[in-house]
Amino acid sequence: RVGGVDHIEGILTKLCYLLGKGEVVTIFPEGTRSRTGQIDVASVTYGMGRMVQSVPNCDVLCVYLRGHAQDSYSAYPKKGDVIHIEMELFTPQTKLTGLRAHREISVQTITRLKQMEERYFAKINAANPSVQNGSSA
């Protein structure tokens, strides 16, 4: 989370190495947790795409977790909250190389997560029309 360019580069190199050895790597493609409580597609970082591109046919498991009572940024779900979870496995594809490929893979991933979030809110809004994107109308 914190560190200079050299530190971040070292972490990404280690993660690429581990991923290449078949280890599981867990990251936030936004590079941080959203302060709004919703996915911000514009804040996607390219490091995730770099890691995925470093391993041929690398699968990505997108996991969308949200507490039904969450209405903004939070560190933990509210006590007794019901947690929604959705998962989707895919293999990002690109014909690009270098930074353009890293960006495209990262955007493919964050876009899938955003679609998962949109499905969640569509379901919640259909069940309770007075709720709009996690807050009372």
Side-chain angles (χ1 to χ4, degrees), residues 59-78:
D59 291 329
V60 172
L61 179 63
C62 292
V63 180
Y64 182 77
L65 284 164
R66 185 179 200 92
H68 288 305
Q70 179 182 354
D71 58 5
S72 66
Y73 172 82
S74 61
Y76 298 100
K78 293 180 181 177

Side-chain angles (χ1 to χ4, degrees), residues 67 69-70 76-83:
Q70 179 182 354
Y76 298 100
K78 293 180 181 177
K79 187 173 182 171
D81 197 4
V82 173
I83 306 298

Side-chain angles (χ1 to χ4, degrees), residues 95-111:
K95 293 182 181 185
L96 301 174
T97 59
L99 286 176
R100 287 189 175 110
H102 301 167
R103 179 183 185 282
E104 183 174 336
I105 290 168
S106 295
V107 168
Q108 287 176 25
T109 303
I110 199 81
T111 299

Side-chain angles (χ1 to χ4, degrees), residues 47-63:
M48 181 261 161
R50 173 181 160 191
M51 287 187 294
V52 170
Q53 192 184 35
S54 74
V55 178
N57 300 310
C58 183
D59 291 329
V60 172
L61 179 63
C62 292
V63 180

Side-chain angles (χ1 to χ4, degrees), residues 8-104:
I8 292 168
E9 179 64 28
I11 296 296
L12 282 174
T13 299
K14 287 177 186 176
L15 292 174
C16 287
Y17 171 80
L18 292 170
L19 200 57
K21 293 290 186 183
E23 296 294 331
V24 174
V25 174
T26 304
I27 61 163
F28 291 92
E30 289 177 283
T32 186
R33 291 184 309 146
S34 167
R35 296 299 182 222
T36 66
Q38 294 188 8
I39 295 170
D40 180 9
V41 174
S43 71
V44 69
T45 62
Y46 299 173
M48 181 261 161
R50 173 181 160 191
M51 287 187 294
V52 170
Q53 192 184 35
S54 74
V55 178
N57 300 310
C58 183
D59 291 329
V60 172
L61 179 63
C62 292
V63 180
Y64 182 77
L65 284 164
R66 185 179 200 92
H68 288 305
Q70 179 182 354
D71 58 5
S72 66
Y73 172 82
S74 61
Y76 298 100
K78 293 180 181 177
K79 187 173 182 171
D81 197 4
V82 173
I83 306 298
H84 168 86
I85 183 168
E86 185 175 342
M87 295 184 283
E88 187 175 315
L89 183 69
F90 83 109
T91 307
Q93 302 292 321
T94 184
K95 293 182 181 185
L96 301 174
T97 59
L99 286 176
R100 287 189 175 110
H102 301 167
R103 179 183 185 282
E104 183 174 336

